[in-house]
Amino acid sequence: MTDLGHSSGSAAADLNQRQFLIFSLGSEEYAIDILKVQEIRGYDNVTRIANAPAFIKGVTNLRGVIVPIVDLRLRFALDSAEYNNQTVVIVVNVGQRVIGIVVDSVSDVMALLPEQIKPAPDFGVTLSSDYLSGLGSVGDRMLVLVDIERLLSNEEMALVEQLDGNS
């Protein structure tokens, strides 16, 4: 009887959990909703696009689909890093688009309960935190939860569409 109660409580907790893919940029850990992730690939050379912003590394052909590749370090205005064998591209579905984001490495998939997610801090107008959906706290780990839908502005998404159309 107790086991049933525990199981139903555990099942309820499972329903409230959200799964995140954990990746790193430098010493910081970030997380995106696993439901947005299509696949994870090693970084391959991309085809550069003239006049594209620096954070758009170019495009790649992924099984017949032209995928813009965004360097998340450059998008977040972090120091650039050398790409190595740990560098990966997380292919995500954003709206009706497929975009690859370059990160330093992927570590794991983690489930977070609502009480482990805190609201994103407000930095005012000096620093945009529009792409942050919150901060996840797991033990002594702090995860920056990225809202991939808001990561690119409407103008940047229009540019991505233009790149997709020109390729």
Side-chain angles (χ1 to χ4, degrees):
M1 194 84 167
T2 304
D3 288 340
L4 286 176
H6 178 70
S7 295
S8 65
S10 178
D14 288 346
L15 291 175
N16 292 328
Q17 288 182 344
R18 290 178 54 200
Q19 300 247 329
F20 293 91
L21 179 68
I22 312 301
F23 62 92
S24 64
L25 296 173
S27 61
E28 306 299 324
E29 287 189 301
Y30 296 81
I32 56 174
D33 191 328
I34 194 76
L35 296 177
K36 302 290 182 193
V37 176
Q38 178 177 315
E39 65 183 271
I40 301 167
R41 306 171 47 89
Y43 181 81
D44 282 331
N45 288 332
V46 297
T47 302
R48 299 276 312 159
I49 303 293
N51 298 321
F55 65 86
I56 296 180
K57 301 303 289 180
V59 295
T60 190
N61 186 337
L62 181 63
R63 295 181 295 278
V65 176
I66 302 302
V67 178
I69 304 296
V70 174
D71 186 317
L72 218 49
R73 277 182 165 272
L74 298 178
R75 178 65 183 91
F76 288 173
L78 300 172
D79 293 334
S80 64
E82 293 267 335
Y83 292 174
N84 59 33
N85 61 356
Q86 297 292 313
T87 305
V88 296
V89 175
I90 303 172
V91 180
V92 296
N93 290 300
V94 179
Q96 302 296 321
R97 299 171 192 91
V98 178
I99 297 174
I101 56 173
V102 180
V103 300
D104 292 353
S105 65
V106 170
S107 58
D108 55 11
V109 174
M110 186 175 293
L112 295 177
L113 293 167
E115 57 267 20
Q116 293 175 301
I117 300 173
K118 307 296 181 218
D122 183 13
F123 296 111
V125 295
T126 57
L127 180 62
S128 174
S129 60
D130 292 344
Y131 58 86
L132 300 180
S133 62
L135 297 173
S137 178
V138 180
D140 57 353
R141 291 173 73 180
M142 180 68 69
L143 305 170
V144 179
L145 307 181
V146 177
D147 185 339
I148 202 70
E149 299 276 346
R150 294 189 295 186
L151 182 63
L152 298 175
S153 70
N154 288 337
E155 293 141 6
E156 292 163 342
M157 289 306 287
L159 179 60
V160 167
E161 282 181 11
Q162 184 181 2
L163 291 175
D164 195 24
N166 290 339
S167 301

